[in-house]
């Protein structure tokens, strides 16, 4: 459970929100499959193995190792991860297609999602009738179950499906042997309240004992909110990816969800949040994209302070931050720029070992602001040393 002493949110949430009471929520990561569907991202088998190990070190409960029929490389990556001896439960991914299910069986995976489109928009685009798709779902789930694979049925585009047909799809899947049900907001269109409603509808269909998942995307910027709403409605498992990678606007961000559930709502996820900053930046590096500096939990700006008024309070983290940098394995720091103040100069000078008398700090601040304006950005530590030597003299050198 999260270290509450490192969360500084006051009493509002405790007053307004009913606590989850420590209920354990399972985390299901799909970075290696849905995450790799991020435009332009191609991961080698070795890179996928590294990411799987990062996920395992974070304490993720389940890792979706990939879709073996995409390519030989994907299959090789799955074999590497399966042989790595990870603690996480490993899941495959299959369409409601016999050859896909067979590939899962051949790889020795004991757990797998079986997906099938359930919205009329998807079915019409594929030229498949409702009844034909229901038959495919039954056949695929039955084949996997008879081969000893633990199946979770994944109703693609369920948030846009006719609700009666959606219910029938889950009923047929469970009757064919599915042991778990995944509620899916494929295009991220469901408001948080709608997610709760959909989870409730599926729960009514599959019964109180069958585990229910939620898999959401971020097209309306509501993936984390939707995941939280799913949990509040009784979902047992939440899907997501590192950094929210995925199709279009991406998937729900697993680390953000874990932090929100634990720090704000009183659930337990088991995620080792202190490793999230390293894992997030390493995955971004492997995938070749830049992390937004303002990203929650792991963005470099979250614990960096430029504004002078905030720098004056930098010595007291709870005054300027909602949770400790230690909680997510990040570093705090002062940076210099156009909005810096005298306290910024004092703190940065101490950090760099520069002797800047109090009487010269405002002069140095003016020089820093001028340089920041010229740079149209921040003043680097080397530039600070240069400016201090010029304004204060060589005596400023640490």
């Amino acid at each position: 459970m999260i270290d509450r002493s490192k969360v500084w949110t006051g009493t509002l949430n405790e007053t307004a929100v009913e606590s989850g009471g420590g209920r354990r929520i399972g985390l299901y990561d799909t970075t290696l499959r849905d995450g790799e569907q991020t435009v332009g991202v191609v991961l080698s088998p070795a890179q996928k193995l590294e990411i799987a190990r990062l996920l395992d070190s974070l304490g993720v409960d389940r890792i979706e190792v990939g879709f073996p029929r995409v390519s030989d490389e994907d299959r090789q990556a799955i074999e590497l991860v399966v042989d790595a001896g990870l603690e996480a439960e490993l899941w495959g991914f299959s369409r409601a297609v016999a050859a896909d299910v067979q590939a899962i069986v051949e790889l020795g995976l004991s757990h797998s999602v079986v997906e099938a489109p359930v919205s009329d928009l998807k079915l019409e685009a594929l030229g498949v009738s409702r009844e034909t798709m229901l038959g495919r779902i039954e056949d695929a789930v039955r084949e996997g179950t008879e081969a000893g694979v633990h199946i979770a049925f994944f109703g693609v585009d369920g948030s846009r499906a006719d609700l009666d047909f959606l219910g029938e799809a889950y009923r047929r899947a469970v009757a064919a042997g599915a042991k778990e049900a995944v509620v899916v907001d494929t295009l991220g269109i469901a408001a948080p309240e709608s997610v709760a409603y959909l989870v409730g509808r599926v729960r009514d269909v599959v019964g109180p004992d069958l585990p229910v998942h939620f898999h959401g995307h971020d097209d309306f910027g509501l993936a984390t909110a939707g995941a939280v709403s799913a949990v509040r409605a009784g979902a047992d498992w939440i899907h997501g990816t590192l950094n929210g990678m995925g199709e279009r606007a991406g998937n729900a961000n697993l680390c953000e969800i874990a932090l929100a559930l634990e720090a704000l709502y009183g659930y337990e996820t088991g995620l080792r949040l202190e490793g999230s900053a390293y894992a997030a930046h390493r995955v971004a590096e492997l995938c070749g994209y830049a992390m937004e500096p303002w990203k929650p939990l792991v963005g470099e700006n979250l614990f960096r302070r430029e504004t002078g008024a905030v720098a004056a309070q930098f010595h007291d983290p709870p005054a300027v931050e909602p949770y400790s940098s230690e909680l997510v394995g990040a570093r705090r720091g002062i940076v210099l720029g156009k909005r810096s103040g005298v306290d910024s100069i004092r703190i940065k000078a101490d950090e760099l070992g520069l002797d800047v008398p109090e009487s010269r700090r405002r002069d140095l601040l003016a020089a820093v602001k001028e340089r920041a304006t010229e740079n149209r950005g921040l003043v680097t530590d080397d530039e600070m040393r240069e400016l201090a030597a010029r304004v204060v003299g060589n005596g400023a050198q640490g």
Side-chain angles (χ1 to χ4, degrees):
M1 193 67 177
I2 201 168
D3 183 349
R4 298 296 311 179
S5 70
K6 295 178 180 177
V7 179
W8 309 312
T9 51
T11 60
L12 176 62
N13 293 312
E14 295 172 8
T15 302
V17 178
E18 182 181 353
S19 171
R23 180 164 77 92
R24 182 67 156 81
I25 304 302
L27 297 180
Y28 179 111
D29 183 272
T30 180
T31 302
L32 300 181
R33 197 272 304 173
D34 215 339
E36 198 194 18
Q37 291 173 210
T38 302
V39 171
V41 171
V42 179
L43 294 165
S44 70
Q47 289 173 324
K48 287 192 175 183
L49 176 60
E50 181 177 349
I51 292 171
R53 285 178 167 149
L54 283 173
L55 292 166
D56 202 48
S57 71
L58 289 175
V60 170
D61 301 288
R62 293 174 170 179
I63 300 173
E64 191 174 86
V65 292
F67 181 13
R69 294 200 68 220
V70 168
S71 70
D72 288 340
E73 268 210 341
D74 284 81
R75 191 181 182 103
Q76 292 166 19
I78 292 170
E79 291 171 342
L80 282 177
V81 176
V82 167
D83 291 340
L86 304 183
E87 292 185 14
E89 190 173 81
L90 305 182
W91 281 63
F93 183 87
S94 167
R95 296 167 298 180
V97 174
D100 287 10
V101 175
Q102 186 57 39
I104 297 297
V105 174
E106 290 172 358
L107 284 164
L109 289 166
S110 57
H111 298 78
S112 184
V113 159
V114 168
E115 68 143 24
V118 292
S119 71
D120 288 331
L121 286 165
K122 291 285 189 185
L123 294 174
E124 289 167 8
L126 294 170
V128 178
S129 71
R130 287 183 174 186
E131 199 56 40
T132 296
M133 186 54 68
L134 289 173
R136 291 180 183 179
I137 291 168
E138 290 175 313
D139 290 345
V141 171
R142 187 177 296 111
E143 181 176 352
T145 299
E146 290 176 354
V149 181
H150 181 104
I151 299 294
F153 175 64
F154 185 105
V156 175
D157 207 21
S159 54
R160 297 195 299 169
D162 173 81
L163 292 179
D164 290 336
F165 178 67
L166 181 71
E168 183 63 16
Y170 283 99
R171 269 189 290 272
R172 297 269 193 110
V174 171
K179 300 297 192 297
E180 306 190 25
V182 188
V183 177
V184 188
D185 185 19
T186 300
L187 297 181
I189 60 89
E193 297 83 357
S194 301
V195 171
Y197 178 78
L198 197 58
V199 167
R201 285 286 296 246
V202 172
R203 170 66 74 198
D204 288 343
V205 169
V206 302
D209 300 324
L210 200 85
V212 172
H213 306 215
F214 177 69
H215 177 109
H217 285 255
D218 203 33
D219 298 71
F220 282 83
L222 292 171
T224 296
V228 169
S229 188
V231 169
R232 303 292 282 174
D236 307 288
W237 290 89
I238 296 297
H239 292 209
T241 61
L242 287 176
N243 300 333
M245 294 172 61
E247 290 270 6
R248 303 177 321 280
N251 288 54
N253 186 314
L254 213 57
C255 293
E256 290 179 18
I257 292 166
L259 179 64
L261 287 175
E262 296 211 11
L264 303 182
Y265 289 90
Y267 295 91
E268 184 177 352
T269 68
L271 197 74
R272 300 182 187 108
L273 284 164
E274 67 274 12
S276 55
Y278 173 77
H281 286 276
R282 179 57 182 152
V283 167
E285 182 180 19
L286 289 170
C287 295
Y289 59 80
M291 188 87 72
E292 306 103 305
W294 48 81
K295 197 169 186 66
L297 268 85
V298 299
E300 64 179 7
N301 285 356
L302 191 60
F303 298 101
R304 296 200 306 175
R305 298 291 172 264
E306 178 188 352
T307 306
V310 177
Q313 306 168 56
F314 187 72
H315 64 285
D316 186 8
V320 293
E321 292 157 11
Y323 47 86
S324 170
S325 59
E326 296 174 2
L327 199 65
V328 295
R331 294 176 58 187
R332 301 180 76 234
I334 288 289
V335 293
L336 299 178
K338 178 183 176 181
R339 286 166 288 277
S340 295
V342 173
D343 281 303
S344 307
I345 297 298
R346 172 182 57 78
I347 295 169
K348 180 57 74 172
D350 288 346
E351 177 188 319
L352 298 178
L354 302 176
D355 182 12
V356 180
E358 185 176 354
S359 61
R360 305 306 305 275
R361 288 174 188 165
R362 289 196 177 279
D363 294 334
L364 183 52
L365 175 61
V368 164
K369 286 176 173 285
E370 182 180 359
R371 179 64 62 86
T373 301
E374 293 172 358
N375 289 352
R376 295 287 184 227
L378 297 176
V379 172
T380 68
D381 288 352
D382 285 342
E383 288 177 310
M384 169 63 168
R385 294 186 182 95
E386 170 210 327
L387 292 171
R390 192 182 78 199
V391 172
V392 180
N394 290 333
Q397 299 297 323

